[in-house]
Amino acid sequence: ASMHLVVVTGSRADYGLLEYPLKLLQTDPFFDLDVWNVWGCGFEPIVNTIVHSERPDLILLLGDRYEIMTTAFIAHLNRIPIAHIAGGDVTEGSYDDAMRDAISRMASIHFVTSTSAMARLTHAGYHNVHLVGNPAIDYIKHMPWRGLRPYERPYVVVSYQAETIDGTDHMDQIMATLPANRLAIFIMPNDDLGSEAIRENIEAYCANHAPDALWFDSLPHAQFLNLLAHCEEFIGNSSSMLYEAPELGIKIRMIGKRQRGRVIPYGDGHASERIVKILKYTQGML
């Protein structure tokens, strides 16, 4: 027996967290695995495969963004079971909060990252809820991401996303309180409502403060972790402040309310193995 499993990734927001689970799934002969990158190919291949081609046994999704909710909606309409990683989380300052709940409502298997998320889903009446932990920690513990210090100068990293629930923008406050005599390295925000103004603000600031400030549109996951591991402070409202930063032991300065309600998840480095084992166990039960 085998399982035709499709893993869908919508943006860098979920891809980094899926890298280690994907590594295990790709090397396990039980799974006939397809990986679809919405940010690379759009939704047309997903629709064509689900509706017109061989139907997968299961679709595995992570997170709470609109690309993932759209994929879940397509699968749900076509009666294809969904396994969802990181349901039950809370981010009160983001419209992702509602989308995450909507994905959980359509999912058949729930892989949660914390005891509070597990309580939230089970109290809401969901079944097949499994506390697996945080796959982001698996990557940190098992993949060769550590490298040399990327900059000789002391530096801070800034990653600020739009507070999509009400449009609040704290970028001026962040820039006014950046530490003196430190290189400021900005990571551009995800493509959310309000992100364009943040991006323009960062570009203008870096142009006016070169060579003491620079920005990246995004970084490969290993490079991003290495950048964080050597920084003096991580500033902003990225979920990485609660997912990866505690494991790296770095100082953070959380700004605003986008992540309000999110907790530091359970992480012992074996979330991905649990996910793989549970997926095998559920074969034929959905």
Side-chain angles (χ1 to χ4, degrees):
S2 66
M3 175 185 286
H4 181 197
L5 177 67
V6 170
V7 181
V8 179
T9 171
S11 71
R12 70 182 190 198
D14 58 30
Y15 185 73
L17 302 183
L18 284 168
E19 278 195 74
Y20 197 72
L22 278 174
K23 176 182 170 64
L24 298 186
L25 290 166
Q26 286 165 340
T27 56
D28 192 320
F30 178 81
F31 296 99
D32 173 17
L33 185 68
D34 288 324
V35 181
W36 293 335
N37 299 316
V38 171
W39 38 282
C41 64
F43 291 104
E44 186 175 351
I46 295 173
V47 174
N48 286 342
T49 301
I50 289 176
V51 178
H52 302 298
S53 304
E54 180 186 351
R55 292 165 58 87
D57 296 315
L58 187 71
I59 288 184
L60 178 63
L61 306 173
L62 184 148
D64 45 38
R65 291 182 54 78
Y66 60 86
E67 305 97 336
I68 298 305
M69 187 181 71
T70 303
T71 303
F73 188 54
I74 295 168
H76 184 65
L77 286 178
N78 287 276
R79 301 193 188 96
I80 294 171
I82 297 164
H84 182 212
I85 303 173
D89 286 358
V90 175
T91 49
E92 294 177 6
S94 167
Y95 55 27
D96 296 353
D97 211 31
M99 290 189 276
R100 186 187 311 108
D101 290 347
I103 298 165
S104 290
R105 187 67 184 84
M106 293 183 277
S108 302
I109 308 172
H110 308 273
F111 297 124
V112 298
T113 65
S114 68
T115 53
S116 58
M118 186 172 191
R120 208 168 282 119
L121 290 186
T122 53
H123 289 172
Y126 291 106
H127 304 288
N128 216 350
V129 181
H130 306 273
L131 175 60
V132 296
N134 181 6
I137 306 303
D138 301 359
Y139 188 96
I140 292 173
K141 286 184 177 293
H142 303 302
M143 297 294 281
W145 58 269
R146 286 191 183 272
L148 299 174
R149 181 182 177 88
Y151 298 93
E152 289 186 14
R153 293 180 58 186
Y155 65 88
V156 299
V157 176
V158 181
S159 178
Y160 182 78
Q161 310 291 329
E163 291 195 5
T164 49
I165 202 70
D166 60 11
T168 304
D169 186 338
H170 294 96
M171 279 308 298
D172 289 340
Q173 172 194 335
I174 291 172
M175 290 165 172
T177 57
L178 288 173
N181 303 316
R182 295 292 183 268
L183 176 64
I185 301 172
F186 295 86
I187 309 295
M188 288 296 189
N190 291 314
D191 186 19
D192 287 324
L193 184 67
S195 64
E196 192 58 39
I198 295 171
R199 176 180 286 271
E200 291 172 359
N201 200 340
I202 291 171
E203 289 178 350
Y205 182 90
C206 291
N208 291 331
H209 291 80
D212 297 320
L214 57 95
W215 59 267
F216 291 99
D217 202 43
S218 65
L219 290 169
H221 194 48
Q223 195 173 334
F224 174 66
L225 289 175
N226 193 56
L227 181 72
L228 286 185
H230 292 92
C231 78
E232 288 198 343
E233 190 178 20
F234 186 22
I235 303 166
N237 62 3
S238 168
S239 59
S240 298
M241 294 182 156
L242 292 156
Y243 275 6
E244 286 99 341
E247 183 68 22
L248 298 175
I250 60 174
K251 179 182 177 182
I252 69 164
R253 179 164 27 124
M254 184 78 76
I255 306 294
K257 61 182 179 296
R258 181 178 170 107
Q259 299 300 335
R260 185 178 295 165
R262 194 190 286 275
V263 299
I264 295 173
Y266 168 61
D268 65 351
H270 299 290
S272 300
E273 286 97 331
R274 294 187 185 98
I275 290 168
V276 170
K277 287 179 181 178
I278 293 166
L279 287 175
K280 287 182 176 180
Y281 177 74
T282 57
Q283 170 75 340
M285 297 175 60
L286 299 174

